[in-house]
Amino acid sequence: MGAWVCLDGARTRGEPQAFQWSQAAGPQAELVQPQTARAWALLPKPGAYRFELKVKNAKGWSAPAPLAFDVPAGAPLLPLGQALAPAGAGE
């Protein structure tokens, strides 16, 4: 399959000092830049996925915040280059 998904924690409240994304369930995905607010996951096949985000601030690390979703068989794929392109690019 090879579908890319953006895991977005950029709207985290407060004054975050560090981020940590991890996979908690589902087919093994490849995480790219898991120590940033916006990480990318390469999903190998359809299935139920669950990721967790921990955020560090002056008080320490937060409890994990879950992000869960299902990818159905036959879901349309978007190449990473198009996923990262600015809105309206190529029009």
Side-chain angles (χ1 to χ4, degrees):
M1 180 176 172
W4 287 96
V5 173
C6 180
L7 307 175
D8 192 348
R11 292 187 178 184
T12 301
R13 295 180 185 156
E15 297 180 19
Q17 299 171 347
F19 296 86
Q20 182 61 56
W21 284 98
S22 61
Q23 184 174 1
Q28 185 61 46
E30 177 184 345
L31 284 174
V32 177
Q33 297 180 324
Q35 293 90 18
T36 63
R38 287 189 181 104
W40 287 89
L42 178 58
L43 310 179
K45 59 185 177 181
Y49 291 86
R50 179 183 165 106
F51 295 90
E52 294 180 337
L53 173 62
K54 289 195 233 177
V55 179
K56 183 178 180 183
N57 63 19
K59 296 180 181 180
W61 287 96
S62 69
L67 172 63
F69 53 89
D70 292 326
V71 178
L77 303 181
L78 182 63
L80 184 58
Q82 287 181 3
L84 296 175
E91 292 179 3

